Amino acid sequence: MYFRKKNCVAMILAGGQGSRLMALTENTAKPAVPFGGKYRLIDFPLSNCVNSGIDTVGILTQYQPLQLNEYIGNGMPWGLNSTNGGIHVLSPYSKSASSEWYKGTANAIFQNISFIDRYQPKNVLILSGDHIYKMDYSKMMRYHNKMKADCTIAVLDVSLEEASRFGIMNTDEDGKIFEFEEKPKEPKSTKASMGIYIFRWEVLKKYLISDNEDPNSSNDFGKNIIPRLIEDGYSLYAYSFKGYWKDVGTIDSLWQSNMDILGENPELDMREKENRIYARNYANPSSFISKDADIENSFVAEGSTVYGKVHNSIISTGCVIEKDAEIYNSFVMPNTVIEKSSVIKYAIIGEDTVVHANSKIGDNPEFYEKNKWGIAVVGKDREVPQNEIILPKEVY
């Protein structure tokens, strides 16, 4: 079969377990976790690719891929159902007796060299499937080409206090990277890697093969590939990104990023027509909001039914909020029922869950010592009994 040559192929790393999201990812790949009422985490890199003119995308899955695979389908909601490119779900597969699961981010790309080679791309864009942001990758590509870089890494300026949590790029005045430090105790700069890389494919392919032959390698971009490129004198540049970006690897960051879409001037504006985030939406587009419902500074997605009180919260598609139920500062995932007289505060309620009547989940932070308060979590497919009490920081 003939494959038209591409300037760039995007590869989305979507195989992570997301263990820090606990009950929300027990049976679901992290990139399939719901977000913002009618999206999933994978929608962000997919939509960014479409909005950037990239029409060939590989999605590397591994952990609990069923729901993610079903959600992606043939890529039509994102306009990625082209016969010459489009979207491809790439799971580990047995091609020899020594084949195994993806061992690291670099090994995942290594195992899919043949897929990338079909399109003979000049460049390969490597993305994570679990970050929340809007970005035009074509601007980064122009910078990459202008600097004649072998690798360009997107960086976000963070505070000095936060820098030790990230991979930090130390650069010359012209942006050329001369050193990469993984979570340094004493960072020399505040340019944090966003896990977004553009590689010249000829160079990356060579180093992926070499890295796979090294028995001592962690097969990781940050720990192995990038430091070796710097050491061997290749041209690496930092591309500064200014905008909203969040790694939703924890319950707190997932909750906070959802709260960031609320308000008249949200930190992350999901209402923009430009740089729109596309999603596959199975919900009935019609909603029912009772005349007695009390909704304030909240997002209620299409296909929901609300009789109760919803303040500063997100109600996802297909949810039912019964009479006298109260929800504050919380994120309720799709197809969940909150029965009458239940009170939910500072919580995340997993999808396909039923919270039976008169339950109390979470509470306000001012009533607790700092180390004893946190977001309450109810996992996916749970049934919370009547009159149940779930305290802050607890996972049900």
Side-chain angles (χ1 to χ4, degrees):
M1 183 176 178
Y2 170 73
F3 295 95
R4 188 183 302 162
K5 189 174 181 179
K6 302 286 182 180
N7 178 57
C8 181
V9 169
M11 301 291 279
I12 301 177
L13 299 165
Q17 184 173 349
S19 57
R20 291 180 296 168
L21 293 181
M22 299 178 286
L24 301 174
T25 53
E26 283 178 355
N27 301 301
T28 303
K30 186 179 170 186
V33 168
F35 178 85
K38 57 182 181 179
Y39 308 95
R40 294 184 185 267
L41 301 186
I42 193 68
D43 290 327
F44 285 84
L46 283 178
S47 299
N48 287 338
C49 284
V50 172
N51 294 334
S52 304
I54 296 170
D55 66 359
T56 305
V57 180
I59 301 180
L60 285 67
T61 63
Q62 180 161 279
Y63 172 80
Q64 296 286 359
L66 181 60
Q67 186 176 15
L68 182 60
N69 293 354
E70 289 177 343
Y71 182 74
I72 293 166
N74 69 352
M76 186 178 291
W78 305 272
L80 288 169
N81 55 329
S82 166
T83 55
N84 184 45
I87 203 166
H88 302 263
V89 177
L90 305 168
S91 301
Y93 61 93
S94 180
K95 56 189 173 185
S96 70
S98 62
S99 291
E100 53 191 323
W101 291 85
Y102 297 148
K103 293 182 288 184
T105 54
N107 179 257
I109 304 298
F110 168 81
Q111 288 199 36
N112 289 284
I113 283 176
S114 60
F115 167 77
I116 298 171
D117 272 344
R118 290 160 122 189
Y119 299 99
Q120 303 173 56
K122 180 180 178 183
N123 299 296
V124 173
L125 171 66
I126 310 292
L127 304 168
S128 294
D130 50 13
H131 295 162
I132 300 297
Y133 65 109
K134 294 181 179 183
M135 183 175 179
D136 185 348
Y137 303 132
S138 66
K139 293 180 179 178
M140 182 176 173
M141 184 65 74
R142 286 195 292 272
Y143 176 81
H144 174 77
N145 291 332
K146 176 185 175 184
M147 306 309 288
K148 298 179 180 178
D150 296 304
C151 171
T152 300
I153 301 171
V155 298
L156 191 72
D157 194 37
V158 298
S159 68
L160 196 59
E161 292 74 27
E162 289 181 295
S164 58
R165 294 174 35 230
F166 295 91
I168 295 297
M169 304 293 152
N170 298 319
T171 68
D172 295 334
E173 289 183 7
D174 64 353
K176 188 172 185 179
I177 300 168
F178 63 83
E179 185 180 26
F180 172 79
E181 295 181 287
E182 184 68 41
K183 299 180 180 178
K185 290 183 179 179
E186 296 182 5
K188 300 170 189 173
S189 89
T190 55
K191 293 179 179 178
S193 171
M194 297 168 63
I196 300 170
Y197 315 119
I198 297 175
F199 286 95
R200 196 155 58 85
W201 177 231
E202 181 184 12
V203 172
L204 177 59
K205 181 179 176 180
K206 172 185 170 183
Y207 274 77
L208 289 174
I209 294 169
S210 173
D211 180 71
N212 188 66
E213 294 170 351
D214 180 358
N216 299 315
S217 176
S218 301
N219 307 119
D220 184 83
F221 280 107
K223 294 177 182 176
N224 306 109
I225 301 292
I226 292 169
R228 279 197 61 199
L229 287 173
I230 296 171
E231 184 180 326
D232 290 350
Y234 281 88
S235 180
L236 285 80
Y237 281 84
Y239 173 78
S240 294
F241 174 74
K242 300 186 186 304
Y244 185 95
W245 179 87
K246 194 173 286 287
D247 178 352
V248 288
T250 63
I251 291 296
D252 285 348
S253 60
L254 178 62
W255 176 85
Q256 184 60 61
S257 59
N258 275 276
M259 295 301 105
D260 287 345
I261 74 172
L262 298 176
E264 290 185 10
N265 298 297
E267 286 193 52
L268 176 62
D269 196 344
M270 300 298 289
R271 303 165 299 182
E272 295 173 328
K273 291 186 178 178
E274 292 184 5
N275 299 319
R276 178 183 167 192
I277 302 300
Y278 300 90
R280 181 184 295 278
N281 200 331
Y282 300 106
N284 183 333
S286 61
S287 301
F288 177 77
I289 309 296
S290 167
K291 61 180 177 61
D292 297 320
D294 178 2
I295 300 175
E296 182 180 297
N297 190 40
S298 296
F299 176 79
V300 178
E302 299 91 336
S304 292
T305 300
V306 180
Y307 291 92
K309 181 182 288 187
V310 179
H311 285 199
N312 200 50
S313 295
I314 293 170
I315 308 300
S316 301
T317 55
C319 288
V320 177
I321 312 301
E322 292 188 353
K323 185 178 179 182
D324 296 325
E326 299 180 18
I327 301 174
Y328 304 93
N329 305 292
S330 295
F331 174 33
V332 181
M333 291 184 174
N335 305 313
T336 285
V337 177
I338 311 296
E339 290 189 349
K340 62 182 181 180
S341 301
S342 290
V343 178
I344 297 171
K345 298 179 178 180
Y346 290 93
I348 297 176
I349 312 297
E351 58 186 318
D352 300 306
T353 284
V354 178
V355 177
H356 285 291
N358 204 39
S359 295
K360 303 288 185 291
I361 300 174
D363 206 344
N364 296 325
E366 56 264 32
F367 302 138
Y368 295 81
E369 294 177 19
K370 188 174 180 180
N371 64 340
K372 293 183 179 179
W373 183 87
I375 301 300
V377 178
V378 176
K380 181 183 176 184
D381 293 313
R382 299 295 199 269
E383 192 157 347
V384 179
Q386 286 191 30
N387 306 309
E388 184 75 16
I389 296 175
I390 300 172
L391 295 174
K393 219 172 183 177
E394 286 188 351
V395 179
Y396 183 88

